[in-house]
Amino acid sequence: MLEAILACLAVGVVAGFLAGLLGVGGGLVIVPALLWVFHWVGVAPEHQQHLAIGTSLATIIFTGAASVRAHAQKGAVRWDIVRQISLGIVLGTFIGAQIAAWISAVHLKWLFIIFAYVIAAQMLLDLKPKPTRQLPNVLGMNLVGSGIGLLSSWVGIGGGSLSVPFMTACNVPVKTAIGTSSAIGIPIAIAGALGFIVSGWSAQQLPSGSLGFVYLPALLGIVLASFPMAKVGAAAAHRLPVPVLKKCFAALLIVLASKMLISLL
């Protein structure tokens, strides 16, 4: 158990820094790490992926709050975008969390693997649409938000890897998009965590300390480290060469996704 707690603290350091730096919730790191922790402590295999996703979303509530505060202090959050997209985000995420309860752990793992590879390729190749259009109207923003929330709830992320490219394609400056993405991640995380608590409420053979599909000991361990590191990452986002760091993150995603893929073969 001590090793599991130390692992959660280490994951929190990495996830918090990435949350502040790139506007992501850190779920792409947290989910595979939690799968190892849950295997270590003997969680029933059929619940491991659901617990990893639900717990990941819960950590993003706290990590995102620290990140958005740091970005807001630098004037890098578009609150008008947050207001316009939040309803769709909440509905899509909550509904997605309910659907996820009916998806097998193996299928959720495949969704995560495919998503991680796609995001890694996007970062390595610097693929992004031309910024030739403006943000859509409120209806369009909520439709986009619903899609981001739905997918985020299935892979346990704060949506930054989707919302940042969307905003930059709509002529939002990249540093503002990163800061705004941190704020968008909070309603995703709240709706997703609540959804996984509800959908896992009656699940059997969950480990002690679980609240539905949220494992509270892992949540605490990760947040203790990620909360302060999110501020460090946000400060670095305004100083360091983000393209180089994105490539490092992409390499990490490839390693994590490949390891999960090998375990399924």
Side-chain angles (χ1 to χ4, degrees):
M1 182 59 72
L2 177 60
E3 290 89 346
I5 293 172
L6 292 174
C8 287
L9 289 170
V11 170
V13 170
V14 177
F17 183 76
L18 291 174
L21 181 70
L22 301 176
V24 299
L28 288 169
V29 175
I30 294 171
V31 171
L34 284 179
L35 286 174
W36 175 83
V37 171
F38 294 150
H39 176 75
W40 183 273
V41 300
V43 174
E46 63 269 23
H47 293 322
Q48 289 178 8
Q49 188 74 18
H50 296 85
L51 276 169
I53 294 173
T55 305
S56 172
L57 288 165
T59 67
I60 293 168
I61 298 172
F62 303 94
T63 304
S67 177
V68 72
R69 181 181 178 187
H71 282 293
Q73 288 173 343
K74 296 181 179 295
V77 177
R78 285 275 304 271
W79 293 109
D80 58 319
I81 295 177
V82 178
R83 287 192 296 270
Q84 291 170 7
I85 204 171
S86 288
L87 178 60
I89 286 281
V90 169
L91 290 176
T93 307
F94 189 82
I95 292 170
Q98 304 311 303
I99 296 172
W102 297 92
I103 303 175
S104 72
V106 171
H107 288 146
L108 284 174
K109 284 184 179 180
W110 275 109
L111 281 171
F112 183 91
I113 290 167
I114 293 168
F115 185 80
Y117 277 135
V118 169
I119 297 303
Q122 177 193 355
M123 289 183 169
L124 282 173
L125 302 174
D126 198 25
L127 299 175
K128 49 192 174 187
K130 289 185 177 181
T132 55
R133 59 180 184 270
Q134 300 301 311
L135 291 165
N137 58 24
V138 175
L139 177 60
M141 290 288 282
N142 279 295
L143 288 174
V144 170
S146 296
I148 292 173
L150 189 72
L151 185 54
S152 298
S153 70
W154 288 346
V155 292
I157 63 171
S161 44
L162 298 171
S163 58
V164 170
F166 163 67
M167 285 185 280
T168 53
C170 295
N171 284 301
V172 177
V174 64
K175 290 186 177 180
T176 302
I178 289 172
T180 306
S181 174
S182 297
I184 290 172
I186 294 177
I188 288 179
I190 293 172
L194 288 174
F196 273 90
I197 289 171
V198 171
S199 64
W201 195 259
S202 59
Q204 303 298 312
Q205 295 183 310
L206 290 176
S208 176
S210 297
L211 187 64
F213 285 133
V214 174
Y215 186 52
L216 298 179
L219 169 63
L220 179 61
I222 292 172
V223 168
L224 284 174
S226 67
F227 192 85
M229 286 305 297
K231 299 177 184 178
V232 177
H238 294 269
R239 295 198 306 268
L240 297 178
V242 173
V244 173
L245 292 162
K246 279 187 175 181
K247 287 179 171 57
C248 292
F249 185 42
L252 176 62
L253 286 182
I254 291 171
V255 171
L256 294 172
S258 299
K259 190 173 185 300
M260 193 181 296
L261 177 61
I262 291 169
S263 72
L264 290 175
L265 298 178

